[in-house]
Amino acid sequence: MLNVPSQAFPAAGSQQRVAPAGQSRNKVVLKPGHSLLDWIRLTKSGQDLTGLRGRLIEVTEDELKKHNTKKDCWTCIRGMVYNLSAYMDFHPGGEEELMRAAGIDSTDLFDEVHRWVNYESMLKECLVGRMAVKPSPALQAHTEKTESTHLNGLSAPPSLRPEPLSAPLPAKDHRPRYDWFQTDGTVNIVVYTKRKIPSAGCAVVDLQDDNLRVEMLLGRMSYLLYWRLSSRVQDHVDVQTAHSVGKVQLCLRKSVKEKWTQLGQSLEHHDTFIQCKDRGLFYRECVLLSKTDVTHNTQLLRLQLPPGSRMQVPVGRHVYLKTSVQGTDVVKPYTAVDQMLIPPSQSSAEVGSDIHLMIKVYPDGVLTPHIANLPIGASLSVGGPEGSLTLRVLRDVTHLYMLAAGTGFTPMARLIRLALQEFTVIRKMKLMFFNRQERDILWQSQLDELCTKEERFEVQHVLSEPADSWTGRRGRIDACMLQNFLERPENSKCLVCVCGPAGFTESAVQLVRQLDFSEEELHVFQA
Ligand code: NAD
């Protein structure tokens, strides 16, 4: 068992409480007896949470509007109406925030704050029924997303769609395209992304039975290819990337050596090029290969993707871990890291078959103790990847500053590696790393080693609960600390990246703005 400090869950400022960039969400301390686990217990208690004694009804828009008080709060998400009254005191963002959804279609609001939360499972006992009226245009747009969430998932087999959906073309034809060819034993799909691909790659491939799903994560955009293949192929998919020309080639091995007349039939959203945030989450079952202690309460998990999957998680993106706790799906985002801060280069054939995640175990949490107790060989559902970092923000940057607190270090870990290896224009890379105690510092020896090896890299540790023997900086983030740290030499282009608990992030963003850094010079990691 891990020796972990006691603390409330969701941890103050956990991802379940983090607001989207630039927005300030209410963070509340939940009353005792109102944790996520308590909510799950309540939903299993048989108590009538809708006031309808299990009946499902059709709700008109006028009816929905009437239920707009704390004691009687209905909301519509993707055409389904929920009574949120019982959930008020359990909502990590507070009742005030939940009341923004009262009596209205809150689909957009929900997506803005945390579309990854599995609300269908969390709120299933609060389901009042479905909207009776013709959905509004906003609702229609999201119905399409729901389809993709459901149909792209593991449980429901996607239906066939003869014609690909047409996505609006960007102004210039930057839209990727694909081609395919075959040999006696192989089928090869070539995707031309029309832009350079970073060394970490961009392809996420899932071959499940006869369905092949290929997603290219290109900055904020996602290009999807999705077929039911004409004939069976072997499990293993080989993915080769020609980074500088932006070409990704997939090689599938035919189960039977015969000529294919076509590649397959198109499935939902095949050949669409849309914003990543509008793409439904796709989950696959991974196997836990190993767990390594990073600190007294943080583990590095190595997960193996299924044989037909390859996932090249772009730098700074996160994946979602989903597990069932007492019959309720609990989902949480985790930023993918490498095995080490600067790992030895892998052979390209193996790239994308494993993912590494750093998991801090909160003893009163719902998901993390469950994960910590999973035996090697157990399976875990992994969705995504998702995230907002586009490498364009690093273009021409000469000074990269990182303000990280606790596990907020994880997106910085791959950023450091990428910046050192691929962005030679960066002259200085500085990490200010905030932790409670020295024993909480993630990858401390690797960071120190990198400092001695790499002239361009510097790390400063700040502890908020240091031992008397600590000779370094103490306290929490403040203006004075940042003033000297965030230097702006002449002819420099700076970027400040921030990640950590919500309270930390809010303070950091405020302080960085006060030091006259513009919005373009600031990137906040959020899940
Ligand atoms: P923690 O509670 O151990 O805190 C680490 C340090 O953060 C503290 O020592 C303190 O210096 C600072 N801090 C904490 N609360 C603060 C506040 N209110 N004001 C100013 N400074 C504060 O951190 P943890 O338990 O490791 O939590 C890390 C957080 O980072 C989690 O909330 C996690 O969700 C978030 N995170 C986000 C992403 C992402 O969005 N991509 C990735 C990883 C982690």
Side-chain angles (χ1 to χ4, degrees):
M1 261 309 278
L2 291 165
N3 172 21
V4 278
S6 171
Q7 94 184 67
F9 187 88
S14 83
Q15 274 139 322
Q16 303 197 25
R17 297 175 183 211
V18 175
Q23 286 185 25
S24 179
R25 285 182 62 202
N26 282 338
K27 265 86 44 199
V28 297
V29 178
L30 296 171
K31 290 183 220 153
H34 288 81
S35 69
L36 176 56
L37 202 53
D38 293 315
W39 171 249
I40 292 172
R41 276 191 209 114
L42 177 63
T43 62
K44 308 285 164 204
S45 67
Q47 210 173 307
D48 177 13
L49 301 183
T50 61
L52 295 170
R53 297 197 190 93
R55 246 181 341 121
L56 291 179
I57 59 170
E58 290 218 321
V59 182
T60 62
E61 245 175 274
D62 286 343
E63 184 64 29
L64 178 64
K65 276 185 206 153
K66 288 182 203 159
H67 301 268
N68 61 358
T69 63
K70 282 178 192 168
K71 293 225 153 28
D72 179 22
C73 175
W74 290 13
T75 197
C76 168
I77 309 176
R78 300 198 174 99
M80 305 308 274
V81 179
Y82 298 90
N83 184 340
L84 301 178
S85 309
Y87 186 59
M88 283 290 161
D89 289 341
F90 293 85
H91 184 233
E95 66 175 31
E96 205 178 300
E97 188 180 280
L98 208 52
M99 281 305 292
R100 289 168 66 201
I104 61 166
D105 179 349
S106 60
T107 310
D108 285 343
L109 206 55
F110 177 83
D111 282 349
E112 215 178 86
V113 179
H114 38 208
R115 81 184 185 100
W116 49 271
V117 171
N118 196 330
Y119 69 93
E120 287 110 325
S121 183
M122 292 269 291
L123 298 177
K124 62 180 178 242
E125 296 307 320
C126 302
L127 185 65
V128 168
R130 128 189 341 264
M131 287 298 289
V133 289
K134 199 173 168 296
S136 66
L139 188 60
Q140 275 171 349
H142 284 290
T143 310
E144 194 169 289
K145 282 191 210 165
T146 320
E147 268 171 33
S148 90
T149 308
H150 284 301
L151 296 174
N152 289 352
L154 290 174
S155 48
S159 65
L160 298 175
R161 186 186 286 276
E163 290 300 318
L165 273 180
S166 56
L169 284 177
K172 285 192 207 151
D173 190 9
H174 281 160
R175 198 176 193 284
R177 61 177 193 85
Y178 76 94
D179 213 343
W180 74 284
F181 63 92
Q182 59 183 313
T183 64
D184 274 356
T186 64
V187 170
N188 302 273
I189 299 163
V190 188
V191 184
Y192 304 93
T193 66
K194 302 188 185 172
R195 62 266 287 151
K196 276 189 188 172
I197 299 172
S199 61
C202 67
V204 181
V205 179
D206 290 282
L207 173 68
Q208 292 178 352
D209 300 323
D210 295 340
N211 293 346
L212 177 69
R213 186 183 185 279
V214 181
E215 187 178 1
M216 298 288 152
L217 298 162
L218 306 164
R220 287 200 169 81
M221 303 298 283
S222 148
Y223 180 59
L224 183 76
L225 298 170
Y226 201 12
W227 297 273
R228 176 158 298 160
L229 296 173
S230 287
S231 213
R232 297 226 76 156
V233 291
Q234 291 170 20
D235 269 350
H236 186 86
V237 184
D238 184 33
V239 181
Q240 298 290 342
T241 304
H243 299 272
S244 55
V245 288
K247 190 174 91 171
V248 179
Q249 185 160 336
L250 273 65
C251 179
L252 311 168
R253 279 171 219 297
K254 294 175 180 172
S255 294
V256 179
K257 285 188 179 175
E258 59 186 8
K259 194 166 181 236
W260 290 19
T261 51
Q262 57 167 352
L263 188 51
Q265 276 184 286
S266 314
L267 300 177
E268 281 82 8
H269 308 306
H270 169 68
D271 200 17
T272 54
F273 186 45
I274 61 174
Q275 293 220 26
C276 295
K277 69 177 177 57
D278 293 331
R279 185 78 77 204
L281 272 184
F282 186 88
Y283 281 90
R284 72 284 290 156
E285 286 302 311
C286 296
V287 174
L288 178 59
L289 280 188
S290 65
K291 288 191 269 187
T292 317
D293 286 343
V294 179
T295 65
H296 63 110
N297 63 1
T298 304
Q299 298 178 330
L300 185 69
L301 264 55
R302 182 171 167 210
L303 299 172
Q304 184 178 47
L305 290 154
S309 294
R310 286 285 170 278
M311 193 194 277
Q312 301 177 324
V313 183
V315 170
R317 307 277 172 118
H318 48 267
V319 296
Y320 297 93
L321 288 189
K322 180 165 80 176
T323 190
S324 175
V325 177
Q326 297 180 18
T328 298
D329 283 343
V330 179
V331 184
K332 214 179 163 237
Y334 286 98
T335 311
V337 293
D338 288 305
Q339 199 174 350
M340 288 179 273
L341 195 54
I342 306 289
S345 48
Q346 295 163 299
S347 81
S348 58
E350 284 314 308
V351 165
S353 56
D354 295 347
I355 42 177
H356 293 90
L357 303 174
M358 254 190 212
I359 312 276
K360 182 166 182 171
V361 181
Y362 297 96
D364 302 330
V366 175
L367 186 66
T368 53
H370 172 84
I371 293 173
N373 289 326
L374 280 178
I376 303 303
S379 77
L380 262 172
S381 208
V382 177
E386 262 200 2
S388 61
L389 180 74
T390 65
L391 297 185
R392 198 168 294 177
V393 295
L394 283 173
R395 196 176 288 163
D396 304 329
V397 165
T398 57
H399 289 70
L400 175 64
Y401 300 116
M402 291 160 279
L403 305 175
T407 56
F409 165 68
T410 53
M412 311 302 182
R414 286 182 77 206
L415 189 59
I416 293 169
R417 180 184 173 204
L418 177 91
L420 284 172
Q421 292 182 339
E422 287 186 37
F423 288 82
T424 43
V425 179
I426 299 181
R427 298 201 290 271
K428 197 81 208 163
M429 227 170 286
K430 285 163 80 173
L431 168 70
M432 193 175 265
F433 195 3
F434 297 83
N435 283 284
R436 291 171 191 236
Q437 299 177 9
E438 193 170 2
R439 65 178 188 153
D440 297 317
I441 302 176
L442 303 167
W443 281 350
Q444 184 178 15
S445 56
Q446 293 191 49
L447 282 168
D448 292 346
E449 196 186 320
L450 190 62
C451 269
T452 51
K453 272 194 194 150
E454 260 294 341
E455 234 177 87
R456 289 190 288 159
F457 182 70
E458 186 184 317
V459 62
Q460 288 187 23
H461 294 290
V462 185
L463 298 184
S464 58
E465 297 164 21
D468 292 343
S469 54
W470 176 253
T471 53
R473 274 179 181 268
R474 294 160 178 258
R476 284 185 166 197
I477 190 164
D478 64 32
C480 186
M481 279 178 202
L482 295 192
Q483 217 141 28
N484 297 328
F485 185 75
L486 300 178
E487 17 164 40
R488 196 198 273 280
E490 222 172 290
N491 296 327
S492 61
K493 185 176 170 204
C494 303
L495 179 71
V496 186
C497 294
V498 175
C499 191
F504 167 84
T505 302
E506 272 171 35
S507 305
V509 166
Q510 219 175 351
L511 293 167
V512 170
R513 282 185 186 141
Q514 280 166 13
L515 288 171
D516 282 340
F517 284 85
S518 66
E519 294 306 306
E520 289 71 43
E521 292 172 316
L522 179 65
H523 179 83
V524 181
F525 285 98
Q526 267 154 352

